[in-house]
Amino acid sequence: MNLFDVYPLYNVTPVSAKGIVVIDDKGQKYLDFYGGHAVISIGHSHPHYVRRIKEQLDQIGFYSNAIQNPLQCELAEKLGKLSNCEDYNLFLCNSGAEANENALKLASFQTGKSRVLAFQNSFHGRTSAAVAATDDLKINAPINQQQKVTFLPFDDIKAFTKEIEKGDVCAVILEAIQGVGGLDEPSTEFYQEIAKLCKEHHALLIADEVQSGYGRSGKFFAFQHHDIHPDIITIAKGMGNGFPIGGVLIHDSIKASYGLLGTTFGGNHLACAAALAVLEVIEQEFLIENANKLYEYFISKAAKIPEVRRVKGRGLMIGLEFDFDVSELRKKLIYNQHLFTGGAKDKRVLRILPALNITKKHIDLFFEALQTEL
């Protein structure tokens, strides 16, 4: 049997990693400024993270959600405190797509409606309703296109108002900073106005924080830059530092009932241990503050490179926009400079998503490599 060939692969085979350094099967070291799509939030093989998982595995790795799991309660309490979202309840699952599926399903249950408003260049996952709310026809099969989704531009409040006033919208789903789309973000005024209109027209506002959450933007959640309070928040990528886990934060005003949502593997003991380790490191090492500090330093370095048209994003969720397709530049950075970066739907944008505990020295190394290839 062969693998189902759906990924174009770079000719690199990582076998070990520590911090920001990835080592391949030939012993070559690479600097990781992409973290596997923003998944590596506290660095590869962080000692506290490794110890937490090993200790948990020695006790119990998994049992179903039919029994009590105190680690889930500990995780919910810790997450609520650090994110300042203590008026939400937590549903645990396994991925960002699954988190968004459950968020959209919950919104439909809550409102009795089915149409979704999403935004141009959005990405919310590759499964049923999540991919239907993703602005990419290439990954939407006919079965997905049966969903009722309307795509709108950022900052066009007239277009948004016209659609939500039709009265059939169950949810508005929004990335405060778009990931795959290319690091675009709405204005604060737009975000606040759509939050207000959602309440007026009984639609739930879903903040997709799958990539932008967990301190990556310089606040725990990127929507917190805009002083709004979504009904539902979805999380995943940086949550487990590589261990598969996702979650849905559901406002207290939305009531639970038995069987409303469910999962086999979500919130298992190992996943909770991994997620708790990540939160503990974020808190103990002041990583959100570090993301803020390094963002300013990154901007100052980028300003010295004439080929960079602008810097997009916030914190350590950064896009460098050029006036050319960056695909070849990414290859040269990997093969010549031994440095991982990311691409976006906007082919002119180079995505930078490193672990939140990188240093100014690492950023200096990044810009030295970038300037060499430019």
Side-chain angles (χ1 to χ4, degrees):
M1 182 185 292
N2 295 315
L3 295 175
F4 197 52
D5 190 12
V6 292
Y7 298 116
L9 302 177
Y10 290 109
N11 187 25
V12 179
T13 306
V15 295
S16 64
K18 184 77 174 179
I20 196 176
V21 177
V22 174
I23 303 172
D24 72 9
D25 56 348
K26 299 177 180 63
Q28 178 63 58
K29 294 181 178 179
Y30 298 78
L31 291 178
D32 186 3
F33 279 88
Y34 191 56
H37 318 292
V39 166
I40 302 300
S41 50
I42 60 170
H44 295 279
S45 305
H46 191 288
H48 179 69
Y49 174 82
V50 172
R51 184 170 58 252
R52 259 289 207 167
I53 292 177
K54 283 181 175 179
E55 289 173 354
Q56 186 59 49
L57 191 56
D58 284 336
Q59 298 173 60
I60 180 172
F62 169 82
Y63 205 76
S64 81
N65 285 302
I67 49 81
Q68 295 184 42
N69 182 350
L71 288 172
Q72 294 184 355
C73 300
E74 185 182 349
L75 175 56
E77 183 178 358
K78 185 81 171 175
L79 176 57
K81 178 182 176 186
L82 290 189
S83 67
N84 197 29
C85 289
E86 291 177 296
D87 52 346
Y88 290 76
N89 298 302
L90 177 64
F91 174 76
L92 289 164
C93 53
N94 306 282
S95 70
E98 190 181 342
N100 283 330
E101 286 290 336
N102 281 288
L104 291 165
K105 177 182 179 181
L106 192 59
S108 187
F109 266 135
Q110 185 75 6
T111 63
K113 298 182 283 188
S114 59
R115 190 162 66 107
V116 173
L117 298 185
F119 293 88
Q120 291 171 1
N121 294 321
S122 60
F123 188 94
H124 299 293
R126 294 179 180 270
T127 55
S128 184
V131 78
T134 292
D135 186 21
D136 188 347
L137 278 175
K138 296 192 302 293
I139 61 173
N140 268 273
I143 194 170
N144 307 123
Q145 294 171 34
Q146 296 178 92
Q147 307 276 356
K148 293 183 284 187
V149 180
T150 303
F151 293 99
L152 299 170
F154 278 158
D155 290 318
D156 187 340
I157 198 61
K158 287 184 179 179
F160 182 87
T161 303
K162 178 182 175 183
E163 291 301 325
I164 203 165
E165 283 182 345
K166 292 178 181 178
D168 61 345
V169 174
C170 70
V172 176
I173 186 166
L174 173 65
E175 300 160 273
I177 304 173
Q178 290 185 330
V180 173
L183 286 299
D184 290 314
E185 54 186 316
S187 66
T188 294
E189 294 75 18
F190 181 69
Y191 218 149
Q192 291 180 349
E193 187 64 19
I194 68 170
K196 175 186 166 189
L197 288 168
C198 281
K199 293 196 184 305
E200 289 178 7
H201 296 279
H202 308 292
L204 299 193
L205 178 58
I206 301 170
D208 179 343
E209 293 281 347
V210 168
Q211 189 169 127
S212 57
Y214 267 67
R216 183 154 293 281
S217 75
K219 290 186 180 289
F220 197 95
F221 290 126
F223 73 78
Q224 291 169 330
H225 290 284
H226 305 289
D227 192 27
I228 61 103
H229 301 280
D231 300 290
I232 301 174
I233 306 160
T234 56
I235 53 178
K237 289 191 185 297
M239 190 177 181
N241 201 50
F243 198 99
I245 185 171
V248 187
L249 279 65
I250 303 158
H251 193 267
D252 273 338
S253 59
I254 301 170
K255 302 306 176 187
S257 62
Y258 293 148
L260 186 68
L261 303 177
T263 173
T264 296
F265 298 105
N268 67 73
H269 296 75
L270 270 182
C272 287
L276 280 163
V278 168
L279 289 175
E280 288 157 359
V281 172
I282 287 175
E283 182 179 33
Q284 292 162 10
E285 298 185 7
F286 304 100
L287 297 191
I288 298 176
E289 293 85 345
N290 192 55
N292 267 319
K293 180 176 66 176
L294 293 187
Y295 175 58
E296 298 300 328
Y297 187 67
F298 194 97
I299 288 176
S300 70
K301 298 285 289 188
K304 299 174 184 176
I305 300 181
E307 293 91 340
V308 175
R309 292 180 61 186
R310 62 171 168 154
V311 179
K312 304 173 75 177
R314 299 172 187 251
L316 289 175
M317 186 174 181
I318 301 170
L320 292 180
E321 184 182 287
F322 297 88
D323 61 1
F324 56 86
D325 186 321
V326 300
S327 301
E328 284 302 311
L329 176 60
R330 287 183 65 205
K331 290 180 183 178
K332 289 180 179 180
L333 287 171
I334 291 174
Y335 295 129
N336 298 344
Q337 302 300 320
H338 306 118
L339 189 149
F340 291 118
T341 59
K345 185 178 179 181
D346 184 343
K347 301 302 182 185
R348 301 166 302 165
V349 173
L350 191 70
R351 270 200 294 169
I352 314 301
L353 304 165
L356 304 184
N357 49 6
I358 66 165
T359 65
K360 288 183 177 180
K361 181 181 177 182
H362 292 132
I363 291 177
D364 291 341
L365 291 171
F366 168 79
F367 278 103
E368 287 172 17
L370 179 63
Q371 285 180 303
T372 297
E373 293 306 326
L374 288 173

PDB file of all heavy atoms in Angstrom, residues 15 29 46 54 72 89 96 122 124 150 178 196 198 208 217 227 280 289 308 362 373:
ATOM      1  N   VAL A  15      14.030  14.112  11.877  1.00  0.00           N
ATOM      2  CA  VAL A  15      14.056  12.960  12.788  1.00  0.00           C
ATOM      3  C   VAL A  15      14.126  13.384  14.253  1.00  0.00           C
ATOM      4  O   VAL A  15      13.840  12.584  15.143  1.00  0.00           O
ATOM      5  CB  VAL A  15      15.220  12.000  12.464  1.00  0.00           C
ATOM      6  CG1 VAL A  15      15.023  11.369  11.096  1.00  0.00           C
ATOM      7  CG2 VAL A  15      16.571  12.722  12.534  1.00  0.00           C
ATOM      8  N   LYS A  29      20.846  20.679  10.342  1.00  0.00           N
ATOM      9  CA  LYS A  29      19.991  21.456  11.238  1.00  0.00           C
ATOM     10  C   LYS A  29      19.239  22.529  10.450  1.00  0.00           C
ATOM     11  O   LYS A  29      19.810  23.167   9.553  1.00  0.00           O
ATOM     12  CB  LYS A  29      20.820  22.110  12.343  1.00  0.00           C
ATOM     13  CG  LYS A  29      21.452  21.119  13.308  1.00  0.00           C
ATOM     14  CD  LYS A  29      22.238  21.828  14.392  1.00  0.00           C
ATOM     15  CE  LYS A  29      22.829  20.826  15.372  1.00  0.00           C
ATOM     16  NZ  LYS A  29      23.627  21.495  16.436  1.00  0.00           N
ATOM     17  N   HIS A  46      10.003  20.730  24.402  1.00  0.00           N
ATOM     18  CA  HIS A  46      10.206  21.516  25.630  1.00  0.00           C
ATOM     19  C   HIS A  46      10.255  20.550  26.822  1.00  0.00           C
ATOM     20  O   HIS A  46       9.388  19.671  26.957  1.00  0.00           O
ATOM     21  CB  HIS A  46       9.060  22.507  25.807  1.00  0.00           C
ATOM     22  CG  HIS A  46       9.308  23.518  26.886  1.00  0.00           C
ATOM     23  ND1 HIS A  46       9.287  23.197  28.226  1.00  0.00           N
ATOM     24  CD2 HIS A  46       9.595  24.852  26.816  1.00  0.00           C
ATOM     25  CE1 HIS A  46       9.541  24.276  28.931  1.00  0.00           C
ATOM     26  NE2 HIS A  46       9.727  25.294  28.105  1.00  0.00           N
ATOM     27  N   LYS A  54       5.094  12.209  29.503  1.00  0.00           N
ATOM     28  CA  LYS A  54       5.655  10.932  29.956  1.00  0.00           C
ATOM     29  C   LYS A  54       5.027  10.492  31.276  1.00  0.00           C
ATOM     30  O   LYS A  54       4.665   9.322  31.455  1.00  0.00           O
ATOM     31  CB  LYS A  54       7.173  11.051  30.116  1.00  0.00           C
ATOM     32  CG  LYS A  54       7.942  11.014  28.811  1.00  0.00           C
ATOM     33  CD  LYS A  54       9.441  11.104  29.074  1.00  0.00           C
ATOM     34  CE  LYS A  54      10.237  10.950  27.790  1.00  0.00           C
ATOM     35  NZ  LYS A  54      11.694  11.069  28.030  1.00  0.00           N
ATOM     36  N   GLN A  72      -9.575  17.334  32.536  1.00  0.00           N
ATOM     37  CA  GLN A  72     -10.398  18.219  31.713  1.00  0.00           C
ATOM     38  C   GLN A  72     -10.834  19.442  32.507  1.00  0.00           C
ATOM     39  O   GLN A  72     -10.809  20.572  32.000  1.00  0.00           O
ATOM     40  CB  GLN A  72     -11.617  17.465  31.188  1.00  0.00           C
ATOM     41  CG  GLN A  72     -11.306  16.358  30.212  1.00  0.00           C
ATOM     42  CD  GLN A  72     -12.560  15.712  29.651  1.00  0.00           C
ATOM     43  OE1 GLN A  72     -13.679  16.028  30.053  1.00  0.00           O
ATOM     44  NE2 GLN A  72     -12.381  14.789  28.716  1.00  0.00           N
ATOM     45  N   ASN A  89     -17.654  28.039  28.666  1.00  0.00           N
ATOM     46  CA  ASN A  89     -17.471  26.629  29.007  1.00  0.00           C
ATOM     47  C   ASN A  89     -16.733  25.942  27.872  1.00  0.00           C
ATOM     48  O   ASN A  89     -16.827  26.352  26.711  1.00  0.00           O
ATOM     49  CB  ASN A  89     -18.826  25.957  29.246  1.00  0.00           C
ATOM     50  CG  ASN A  89     -19.555  26.587  30.428  1.00  0.00           C
ATOM     51  OD1 ASN A  89     -19.050  26.622  31.540  1.00  0.00           O
ATOM     52  ND2 ASN A  89     -20.750  27.101  30.172  1.00  0.00           N
ATOM     53  N   GLY A  96      -8.771  21.663  14.671  1.00  0.00           N
ATOM     54  CA  GLY A  96      -9.441  22.919  14.376  1.00  0.00           C
ATOM     55  C   GLY A  96     -10.680  22.740  13.532  1.00  0.00           C
ATOM     56  O   GLY A  96     -11.697  23.406  13.757  1.00  0.00           O
ATOM     57  N   SER A 122     -11.131  33.245   3.638  1.00  0.00           N
ATOM     58  CA  SER A 122     -11.185  32.534   4.925  1.00  0.00           C
ATOM     59  C   SER A 122     -10.715  31.094   4.776  1.00  0.00           C
ATOM     60  O   SER A 122     -10.772  30.504   3.690  1.00  0.00           O
ATOM     61  CB  SER A 122     -12.614  32.541   5.461  1.00  0.00           C
ATOM     62  OG  SER A 122     -13.475  31.888   4.536  1.00  0.00           O
ATOM     63  N   HIS A 124     -11.332  27.619   7.362  1.00  0.00           N
ATOM     64  CA  HIS A 124     -11.852  27.124   8.634  1.00  0.00           C
ATOM     65  C   HIS A 124     -11.744  25.602   8.783  1.00  0.00           C
ATOM     66  O   HIS A 124     -12.215  25.058   9.781  1.00  0.00           O
ATOM     67  CB  HIS A 124     -13.311  27.560   8.803  1.00  0.00           C
ATOM     68  CG  HIS A 124     -13.485  29.050   8.825  1.00  0.00           C
ATOM     69  ND1 HIS A 124     -13.001  29.840   9.851  1.00  0.00           N
ATOM     70  CD2 HIS A 124     -14.057  29.905   7.932  1.00  0.00           C
ATOM     71  CE1 HIS A 124     -13.275  31.115   9.593  1.00  0.00           C
ATOM     72  NE2 HIS A 124     -13.911  31.183   8.439  1.00  0.00           N
ATOM     73  N   THR A 150     -22.495  32.366   2.675  1.00  0.00           N
ATOM     74  CA  THR A 150     -22.300  33.581   1.877  1.00  0.00           C
ATOM     75  C   THR A 150     -20.970  34.199   2.277  1.00  0.00           C
ATOM     76  O   THR A 150     -20.718  34.424   3.470  1.00  0.00           O
ATOM     77  CB  THR A 150     -23.438  34.590   2.124  1.00  0.00           C
ATOM     78  OG1 THR A 150     -24.693  33.959   1.834  1.00  0.00           O
ATOM     79  CG2 THR A 150     -23.258  35.827   1.250  1.00  0.00           C
ATOM     80  N   GLN A 178      -6.398  36.369   9.442  1.00  0.00           N
ATOM     81  CA  GLN A 178      -6.491  35.213   8.563  1.00  0.00           C
ATOM     82  C   GLN A 178      -5.139  34.508   8.476  1.00  0.00           C
ATOM     83  O   GLN A 178      -4.098  35.157   8.365  1.00  0.00           O
ATOM     84  CB  GLN A 178      -6.958  35.631   7.178  1.00  0.00           C
ATOM     85  CG  GLN A 178      -8.413  36.065   7.160  1.00  0.00           C
ATOM     86  CD  GLN A 178      -8.921  36.363   5.761  1.00  0.00           C
ATOM     87  OE1 GLN A 178      -8.164  36.775   4.888  1.00  0.00           O
ATOM     88  NE2 GLN A 178     -10.209  36.160   5.551  1.00  0.00           N
ATOM     89  N   LYS A 196     -22.279  43.653  17.132  1.00  0.00           N
ATOM     90  CA  LYS A 196     -23.539  44.298  17.505  1.00  0.00           C
ATOM     91  C   LYS A 196     -24.695  43.791  16.637  1.00  0.00           C
ATOM     92  O   LYS A 196     -25.780  43.469  17.145  1.00  0.00           O
ATOM     93  CB  LYS A 196     -23.379  45.815  17.342  1.00  0.00           C
ATOM     94  CG  LYS A 196     -24.644  46.619  17.577  1.00  0.00           C
ATOM     95  CD  LYS A 196     -24.388  48.089  17.246  1.00  0.00           C
ATOM     96  CE  LYS A 196     -25.686  48.853  17.144  1.00  0.00           C
ATOM     97  NZ  LYS A 196     -25.478  50.216  16.613  1.00  0.00           N
ATOM     98  N   CYS A 198     -24.905  40.963  15.033  1.00  0.00           N
ATOM     99  CA  CYS A 198     -25.193  39.554  15.349  1.00  0.00           C
ATOM    100  C   CYS A 198     -26.204  39.462  16.490  1.00  0.00           C
ATOM    101  O   CYS A 198     -27.152  38.675  16.434  1.00  0.00           O
ATOM    102  CB  CYS A 198     -23.906  38.818  15.718  1.00  0.00           C
ATOM    103  SG  CYS A 198     -22.907  38.327  14.301  1.00  0.00           S
ATOM    104  N   ASP A 208     -12.862  32.272  15.102  1.00  0.00           N
ATOM    105  CA  ASP A 208     -11.968  31.165  14.781  1.00  0.00           C
ATOM    106  C   ASP A 208     -10.559  31.573  15.191  1.00  0.00           C
ATOM    107  O   ASP A 208      -9.881  32.328  14.503  1.00  0.00           O
ATOM    108  CB  ASP A 208     -12.043  30.862  13.283  1.00  0.00           C
ATOM    109  CG  ASP A 208     -11.117  29.716  12.868  1.00  0.00           C
ATOM    110  OD1 ASP A 208     -10.197  29.372  13.632  1.00  0.00           O
ATOM    111  OD2 ASP A 208     -11.318  29.172  11.771  1.00  0.00           O
ATOM    112  N   SER A 217      -0.849  36.244  18.731  1.00  0.00           N
ATOM    113  CA  SER A 217      -1.039  37.613  18.233  1.00  0.00           C
ATOM    114  C   SER A 217      -0.540  38.680  19.197  1.00  0.00           C
ATOM    115  O   SER A 217      -0.607  39.863  18.899  1.00  0.00           O
ATOM    116  CB  SER A 217      -2.525  37.862  17.960  1.00  0.00           C
ATOM    117  OG  SER A 217      -3.229  38.028  19.187  1.00  0.00           O
ATOM    118  N   ASP A 227     -11.707  44.333  21.430  1.00  0.00           N
ATOM    119  CA  ASP A 227     -12.632  44.575  22.543  1.00  0.00           C
ATOM    120  C   ASP A 227     -14.057  44.108  22.215  1.00  0.00           C
ATOM    121  O   ASP A 227     -15.020  44.856  22.342  1.00  0.00           O
ATOM    122  CB  ASP A 227     -12.639  46.057  22.931  1.00  0.00           C
ATOM    123  CG  ASP A 227     -13.353  46.293  24.260  1.00  0.00           C
ATOM    124  OD1 ASP A 227     -13.384  45.363  25.096  1.00  0.00           O
ATOM    125  OD2 ASP A 227     -13.897  47.398  24.461  1.00  0.00           O
ATOM    126  N   GLU A 280       1.029  26.084  31.083  1.00  0.00           N
ATOM    127  CA  GLU A 280       1.976  26.324  32.176  1.00  0.00           C
ATOM    128  C   GLU A 280       3.238  27.006  31.674  1.00  0.00           C
ATOM    129  O   GLU A 280       3.742  27.945  32.302  1.00  0.00           O
ATOM    130  CB  GLU A 280       2.296  24.990  32.867  1.00  0.00           C
ATOM    131  CG  GLU A 280       1.137  24.472  33.705  1.00  0.00           C
ATOM    132  CD  GLU A 280       1.160  22.979  33.962  1.00  0.00           C
ATOM    133  OE1 GLU A 280       2.091  22.290  33.474  1.00  0.00           O
ATOM    134  OE2 GLU A 280       0.231  22.485  34.636  1.00  0.00           O
ATOM    135  N   GLU A 289       3.906  38.053  26.367  1.00  0.00           N
ATOM    136  CA  GLU A 289       4.690  39.298  26.409  1.00  0.00           C
ATOM    137  C   GLU A 289       5.862  39.225  25.426  1.00  0.00           C
ATOM    138  O   GLU A 289       6.200  40.213  24.757  1.00  0.00           O
ATOM    139  CB  GLU A 289       5.213  39.543  27.828  1.00  0.00           C
ATOM    140  CG  GLU A 289       4.132  39.845  28.860  1.00  0.00           C
ATOM    141  CD  GLU A 289       3.501  38.591  29.479  1.00  0.00           C
ATOM    142  OE1 GLU A 289       3.672  37.477  28.925  1.00  0.00           O
ATOM    143  OE2 GLU A 289       2.838  38.739  30.516  1.00  0.00           O
ATOM    144  N   VAL A 308      10.621  44.230   0.937  1.00  0.00           N
ATOM    145  CA  VAL A 308       9.421  43.981   1.742  1.00  0.00           C
ATOM    146  C   VAL A 308       8.455  45.143   1.560  1.00  0.00           C
ATOM    147  O   VAL A 308       8.743  46.280   1.947  1.00  0.00           O
ATOM    148  CB  VAL A 308       9.759  43.805   3.235  1.00  0.00           C
ATOM    149  CG1 VAL A 308       8.479  43.673   4.064  1.00  0.00           C
ATOM    150  CG2 VAL A 308      10.637  42.571   3.427  1.00  0.00           C
ATOM    151  N   HIS A 362      17.391  34.779  17.174  1.00  0.00           N
ATOM    152  CA  HIS A 362      16.764  33.968  16.129  1.00  0.00           C
ATOM    153  C   HIS A 362      16.237  34.849  14.998  1.00  0.00           C
ATOM    154  O   HIS A 362      16.359  34.499  13.817  1.00  0.00           O
ATOM    155  CB  HIS A 362      15.614  33.148  16.722  1.00  0.00           C
ATOM    156  CG  HIS A 362      16.059  32.084  17.668  1.00  0.00           C
ATOM    157  ND1 HIS A 362      15.489  31.907  18.909  1.00  0.00           N
ATOM    158  CD2 HIS A 362      17.015  31.128  17.552  1.00  0.00           C
ATOM    159  CE1 HIS A 362      16.074  30.891  19.514  1.00  0.00           C
ATOM    160  NE2 HIS A 362      16.999  30.413  18.727  1.00  0.00           N
ATOM    161  N   GLU A 373      19.228  35.431   0.333  1.00  0.00           N
ATOM    162  CA  GLU A 373      18.469  34.880  -0.786  1.00  0.00           C
ATOM    163  C   GLU A 373      17.838  35.964  -1.656  1.00  0.00           C
ATOM    164  O   GLU A 373      17.688  35.803  -2.866  1.00  0.00           O
ATOM    165  CB  GLU A 373      17.424  33.878  -0.307  1.00  0.00           C
ATOM    166  CG  GLU A 373      18.028  32.622   0.272  1.00  0.00           C
ATOM    167  CD  GLU A 373      19.009  31.938  -0.678  1.00  0.00           C
ATOM    168  OE1 GLU A 373      18.794  31.983  -1.905  1.00  0.00           O
ATOM    169  OE2 GLU A 373      19.998  31.372  -0.195  1.00  0.00           O
TER     170      GLU A 373
END
